[in-house]
Amino acid sequence: MFQGYTQGAIDFLWGLKLNNERGWFQAHKEEFLTQVDQPTRELAAQLAREMAEAFPKLGLELKVSRIYRDARRLFGRGPYKDHLWFSLRRPGERDSAIPCFWFEVAADRYGYGMGCWDMPPVTMAKLRAQIDRDPAPVEKLARSVKRRGEFQMEGQAYKRPKGDPGPLLYPWYNSRQIGFTCEHNCEGPFFGPELAGQVLEGWKSLVPQYKFLCALAAAPEPDHL
């Protein structure tokens, strides 16, 4: 069971952020394994189990990131990621195009949420068509997130707005992606087992939005798209 992170996890991640090279990492690898990797995997396994128990029909699959960057995509950066993340998602060929629940830990923060990093344009077109046809279901989802107050909606906006359905749905209508993010400083719940409950309750609150995005992606394209 997950018992919380320690100050050692923060110290390691700050050290890696400032010393992102192989020699430093090898000298501190045991700290990574015990202070960062192990608790992250314990948290991931616990949340995956509890989400499966609460929502068995979602068919979510756990994926934990590796600390090593893809050597083909370093782009002048060090060989290691300075953060660690895991996600729960349905199996698929293009992971970045599939909505998922996620958690991330870095030196100065932790965050969690749900969304899609690489939403296909056709999916966003179907969302706009849904809003044009019947905005009420999307308004209900938007109000639910706003009322809870835990998550901020994120998504790169189109340079030219697609339309104006009103202030509540404007970001839904004019974004390239849909995502909901909550970030905290590494304090309080971060150091105890209650972090698992915090993330779990946040994820549970986003299940209706998750189901909507999955259904939207699977829906046939309207004739006018």
Side-chain angles (χ1 to χ4, degrees), residues 1-5 32-49 62-68 81 84-88 103 105 195-196 203:
M1 292 287 288
F2 175 74
Q3 296 301 312
Y5 288 96
F32 163 70
L33 293 173
T34 59
Q35 303 293 326
V36 182
D37 189 62
Q38 180 178 334
T40 299
R41 291 182 181 277
E42 290 173 351
L43 177 61
Q46 181 175 333
L47 288 172
R49 182 177 64 255
L62 173 63
K63 291 196 175 184
V64 182
S65 69
R66 300 173 69 248
I67 194 69
Y68 306 97
K81 301 169 186 171
L84 207 62
W85 58 265
F86 59 84
S87 66
L88 291 178
F103 173 88
V105 58
L195 176 61
W203 281 359

Side-chain angles (χ1 to χ4, degrees), residues 9 20 27 31 68 74 77 119 121 129 132 153 181 204:
N20 200 318
E31 295 171 38
Y68 306 97
L74 293 182
R77 299 174 294 180
M119 192 80 77
D132 290 339
M153 182 174 171
T181 298
K204 284 182 176 180

Side-chain angles (χ1 to χ4, degrees), residues 29-194:
K29 188 172 182 179
E30 188 61 28
E31 295 171 38
F32 163 70
L33 293 173
T34 59
Q35 303 293 326
V36 182
D37 189 62
Q38 180 178 334
T40 299
R41 291 182 181 277
E42 290 173 351
L43 177 61
Q46 181 175 333
L47 288 172
R49 182 177 64 255
E50 292 177 345
M51 283 291 284
E53 291 172 354
F55 307 101
K57 293 183 179 180
L58 291 185
L60 299 173
E61 178 181 79
L62 173 63
K63 291 196 175 184
V64 182
S65 69
R66 300 173 69 248
I67 194 69
Y68 306 97
R69 294 190 194 276
D70 188 332
R72 300 167 297 175
R73 297 180 173 86
L74 293 182
F75 305 119
R77 299 174 294 180
Y80 306 101
K81 301 169 186 171
D82 57 9
H83 60 282
L84 207 62
W85 58 265
F86 59 84
S87 66
L88 291 178
R89 68 179 75 224
R90 291 177 180 171
E93 294 181 358
R94 288 185 59 209
D95 282 353
S96 62
I98 302 172
C100 72
F101 299 92
W102 59 269
F103 173 88
E104 180 180 83
V105 58
D108 58 345
R109 60 178 172 78
Y110 69 91
Y112 53 92
M114 186 280 295
C116 186
W117 287 286
D118 188 20
M119 192 80 77
V122 67
T123 302
M124 299 309 295
K126 286 188 282 187
L127 173 59
R128 292 191 295 275
Q130 166 69 43
I131 294 173
D132 290 339
R133 182 174 64 253
D134 180 14
V138 188
E139 289 174 344
K140 182 178 180 180
L141 295 172
R143 288 196 183 97
S144 174
V145 175
K146 190 173 183 180
R147 184 167 54 248
R148 184 175 177 87
E150 182 177 7
F151 296 96
Q152 295 294 320
M153 182 174 171
E154 293 187 345
Q156 181 184 5
Y158 290 105
K159 292 182 179 180
R160 295 182 178 180
K162 301 289 187 178
D164 187 357
L168 180 64
L169 295 185
Y170 189 91
W172 292 68
Y173 203 91
N174 291 292
S175 296
R176 295 179 181 274
Q177 311 92 10
I178 298 291
F180 304 95
T181 298
C182 178
E183 290 192 346
H184 296 277
N185 295 328
C186 294
E187 58 188 19
F190 182 76
F191 296 109
E194 59 267 30

